[in-house]
Amino acid sequence: MPKGFFNVPKAVNEPVKSYIPNSPEKAAVLAAYKKMWNETIDVPMYIGSSEVRTGNTRTMSAPHDHKHIVGTYHLGEAQHVTQAIDAALEARKKWANMPWEHRAGIFLKAAELIAGPYRARINAATMIAQSKTIFQAEIDAACELIDFLRYNVQFMTQIYSDQPASVSDIWNRVEYRPLEGFVYAITPFNFTAIAANLPASAALMGNTVVWKPSDSQVFSAKVIIDVFKEAGVPDGVINVVFGDPVMITDIVLKHPDFAGVHYTGSTFVFKEIWKKIGENIHTYKTYPRIVGETGGKDFVLAHPSANVKQVVANTIRGAFEFQGQKCSAASRAYFPKSLWPAIKEEMGKELASIKMGSPEDFSNFVTAVIHEGSFDKLVSYIEQAKQDADAEILFGGNYDKSVGYFIQPTVILTTNPKYKTMETELFGPVLTVYIYEDADWAKTLELVDSTSEYALTGAIFSQDRYAIVEATQALQNSAGNFYINDKPTGAVVGMQPFGGARASGTNDKAGSMQNLLRWVSPRTIKETFVTPADYRYPFLGE
Ligand code: NAD
């Protein structure tokens, strides 16, 4: 038990390194890239203290060079899921009672390992198997993950120090117990930081976890596992299973000790998970916590007063960085007719300067999309737009999967504000643009608000403060993260707590105190010092 009210180091955001030519960080990450590219690793499942190899393996490759294999990982069966749950429940006996400062010490150490000795490796892994440019890898796998770990430790202490009032003869206390049972973390391919944070945040609060990473992120997940092990996360606290997601999820959600799910991924999958939890509700010992951050159809809206160069630069960054595979990526844009000729010219010029290829070549701004399924889906939307009377391909529209899954940054212009690609999340480098009449600004605000089921991020560009006020008001439910004169991507932990509403998720704001509160179940303790020994109150007297 703690013998002091300890202060944790004040959380500071990890500075983003520049990777300019001849910098030591550039040399280090390229050396790590080459080394990892030329090895093949074999990734087991991690269940309790065991590394489990089933021999039923799947390969891992680079999306930008898909024939190049960088490793294999082992798929589990039903019994492995059950073993992982058992290992989590066994580990909980000790972990839930681990003094908080030691849990903090482990995850603060993990942050420093990533900031230092593991930085090049975790970035290189993210470049190789998720095809991120070095900048995209650095802001995700290194900086965002470090920030999650540091800030969450600070938020944990803020939660613990939130205590009720007491009086001299009655001392009231609240202790923030971990959930009774285990937590299930299901993570997406697109952010290494999210993959690590979903199991780690629940574990930091004293829970034990079964973690199912995305099949397309196992390569960098291995680095996360190595970091957690070196930082001292005990066996069984975070158990890692791979395999059929439906099979794994069905077993987990039928378990009586299932206490919560920490999910990030697409909306449909989350709704299915929620439905299954409902179906199993009579099985559980407690009401499970359901936390899910899901899809988006994120907008950019320019007012006639907007600065054209700013609109174009931020729309390009928002729509095409990491090939548009961010939940926050700009994928529908609304531009006023008066600015359209200038925006179109500037956008065409800028898009022509973008280079696409391997992330190992630092001059590439865009690389490949994650896998063949995604490539084929994006191509079908692009081809459909070429056919449809109410759409045209304005820029890009080319693609090639012979070496890597490359899709040229593509801009579709539509005359139909409800065109399919204005409403549906495509998750790739495809932006759809609708031109509105300047006089229809107010109507356009309604259109932006009502066009998609999502409400994750959105950006408005305006030099007119009245228009900014009007848009901020009219779009209050259209985005959980709303940007004024900035791109809709790139939220920073501790600065812009992240999450959306409507079909975009439960909006528990990853990287905030709110999220951590979902992983504890407070117990109130009232202690009375002078306990009454007579049931009669004074008013009963004659
Ligand atoms: P995905 O839905 O394909 O997969 C997410 C996870 O769910 C993976 O681990 C996958 O194996 C698992 N899964 C898939 N089908 C399942 C099923 N039937 N039952 C249980 N688990 C299942 O998503 P993805 O392609 O990895 O990631 C992209 C999606 O994630 C996009 O929709 C994006 O908007 C969303 N996302 C949202 C946020 C956010 O903070 N809102 C952040 C990142 C990604």
Side-chain angles (χ1 to χ4, degrees):
M1 284 297 135
K3 295 179 186 63
F5 296 117
F6 308 119
N7 295 328
V8 294
K10 185 170 167 37
V12 284
N13 290 98
E14 178 65 10
V16 178
K17 289 187 187 282
S18 73
Y19 296 88
I20 54 174
N22 303 318
S23 60
E25 64 266 19
K26 179 169 180 178
V29 80
L30 283 177
Y33 186 106
K34 278 197 178 67
K35 183 167 181 293
M36 295 171 94
W37 186 263
N38 291 317
E39 298 169 343
T40 49
I41 59 165
D42 182 56
V43 185
M45 293 184 290
Y46 293 83
I47 301 175
S49 59
S50 308
E51 296 188 0
V52 179
R53 291 181 170 78
T54 58
N56 178 15
T57 57
R58 220 179 251 171
T59 56
M60 297 178 280
S61 60
H64 49 278
D65 188 353
H66 49 66
K67 291 190 187 70
H68 185 83
I69 305 297
V70 287
T72 50
Y73 63 98
H74 292 254
L75 303 179
E77 299 297 334
Q79 83 245 32
H80 302 110
V81 185
T82 307
Q83 286 163 11
I85 295 170
D86 291 345
L89 292 172
E90 183 57 33
R92 189 187 182 281
K93 293 175 189 162
K94 281 170 88 173
W95 181 248
N97 292 313
M98 170 83 84
W100 70 261
E101 73 273 21
H102 291 279
R103 284 187 266 123
I106 288 170
F107 288 105
L108 288 173
K109 178 169 179 172
E112 296 319 296
L113 289 172
I114 297 160
Y118 281 85
R119 192 182 201 114
R121 239 180 94 192
I122 203 160
N123 280 340
T126 304
M127 292 165 75
I128 289 173
Q130 286 142 276
S131 286
K132 291 205 174 191
T133 63
I134 178 55
F135 184 71
Q136 292 302 313
E138 168 77 2
I139 60 172
D140 161 23
C143 300
E144 185 172 350
L145 177 47
I146 295 164
D147 293 351
F148 272 137
L149 294 164
R150 288 179 183 158
Y151 272 94
N152 279 347
V153 166
Q154 186 173 296
F155 294 142
M156 173 178 71
T157 62
Q158 282 171 244
I159 289 172
Y160 287 174
S161 61
D162 184 17
Q163 294 293 326
S166 294
V167 289
S168 60
D169 62 340
I170 295 170
W171 185 12
N172 298 316
R173 309 190 282 275
V174 168
E175 62 175 15
Y176 295 88
R177 303 170 300 181
L179 304 182
E180 197 178 4
F182 67 94
V183 171
Y184 181 34
I186 315 178
T187 57
F189 81 83
N190 66 336
F191 276 88
T192 305
I194 294 176
N197 182 50
L198 299 200
S201 50
L204 174 67
M205 301 310 287
N207 298 282
T208 54
V209 182
V210 174
W211 172 27
K212 197 214 80 59
S214 159
D215 285 327
S216 303
Q217 188 264 325
V218 178
F219 196 61
S220 59
K222 172 71 169 85
V223 187
I224 294 169
I225 295 161
D226 291 348
V227 168
F228 285 169
K229 280 206 173 296
E230 189 169 338
V233 177
D235 290 340
V237 170
I238 296 177
N239 302 278
V240 189
V241 290
F242 306 121
D244 175 0
V246 176
M247 178 276 290
I248 295 171
T249 302
D250 284 351
I251 293 171
V252 167
L253 299 186
K254 285 199 174 111
H255 200 286
D257 291 299
F258 166 68
V261 61
H262 204 185
Y263 171 87
T264 297
S266 57
T267 296
F268 180 80
V269 170
F270 184 54
K271 287 184 175 175
E272 287 296 297
I273 291 169
W274 194 302
K275 192 171 82 186
K276 286 178 188 173
I277 293 171
E279 283 163 5
N280 293 321
I281 197 68
H282 291 291
T283 312
Y284 306 133
K285 292 181 184 161
T286 64
Y287 294 101
R289 299 288 162 93
I290 308 176
V291 176
E293 302 304 333
T294 69
K297 188 69 196 171
D298 311 297
F299 60 85
V300 168
L301 167 62
H303 182 259
S305 66
N307 173 305
V308 167
K309 269 186 169 295
Q310 291 172 2
V311 169
V312 171
N314 288 284
T315 303
I316 287 177
R317 282 184 172 176
F320 301 124
E321 280 184 309
F322 188 36
Q323 300 73 260
Q325 298 172 119
K326 300 187 186 189
C327 48
S328 54
S331 62
R332 53 183 171 124
Y334 303 79
F335 297 140
K337 200 170 186 178
S338 58
L339 294 187
W340 177 232
I343 291 177
K344 184 177 165 187
E345 189 190 337
E346 176 73 7
M347 197 174 250
K349 195 181 79 196
E350 294 294 72
L351 287 175
S353 72
I354 286 180
K355 283 181 64 190
M356 182 164 73
S358 162
E360 196 179 4
D361 176 350
F362 280 23
S363 65
N364 289 323
F365 183 78
V366 165
T367 80
V369 299
I370 193 71
H371 50 49
E372 190 167 21
S374 171
F375 178 93
D376 291 345
K377 185 178 95 176
L378 292 161
V379 166
S380 74
Y381 280 102
I382 291 171
E383 285 305 313
Q384 189 61 45
K386 289 177 183 170
Q387 309 295 325
D388 289 338
D390 50 358
E392 65 172 292
I393 304 285
L394 199 60
F395 302 114
N398 297 315
Y399 44 82
D400 181 354
K401 64 175 173 184
S402 53
V403 177
Y405 303 114
F406 289 106
I407 303 225
Q408 199 182 13
T410 297
V411 179
I412 298 173
L413 180 65
T414 184
T415 51
N416 172 7
K418 298 282 170 90
Y419 184 65
K420 204 175 294 161
T421 62
M422 290 297 279
E423 293 184 332
T424 309
E425 182 185 52
L426 306 188
F427 223 57
V430 179
L431 171 75
T432 308
V433 172
Y434 174 72
I435 310 302
Y436 69 90
E437 296 287 341
D438 291 35
D440 289 344
W441 165 249
K443 269 197 221 151
T444 307
L445 290 172
E446 275 169 39
L447 186 63
V448 172
D449 181 57
S450 60
T451 294
S452 108
E453 62 173 321
Y454 300 107
L456 190 49
T457 75
I460 58 151
F461 288 84
S462 172
Q463 308 292 325
D464 175 341
R465 186 50 73 166
Y466 286 113
I468 292 172
V469 171
E470 197 184 350
T472 306
Q473 190 63 31
L475 300 174
Q476 64 175 306
N477 293 314
S478 320
N481 283 60
F482 185 67
Y483 294 82
I484 300 169
N485 291 322
D486 205 341
K487 63 185 177 0
T489 57
V492 173
V493 176
M495 301 264 173
Q496 298 99 24
F498 190 79
R502 294 186 181 161
S504 292
T506 53
N507 201 13
D508 289 291
K509 297 291 187 208
S512 78
M513 218 158 65
Q514 259 168 282
N515 177 281
L516 296 189
L517 277 169
R518 303 303 309 275
W519 310 118
V520 290
S521 177
R523 174 168 76 149
T524 303
I525 300 171
K526 175 186 177 187
E527 181 173 356
T528 300
F529 297 134
V530 182
T531 308
D534 182 352
Y535 86 88
R536 291 170 195 81
Y537 293 107
F539 77 87
L540 293 169
E542 284 297 318

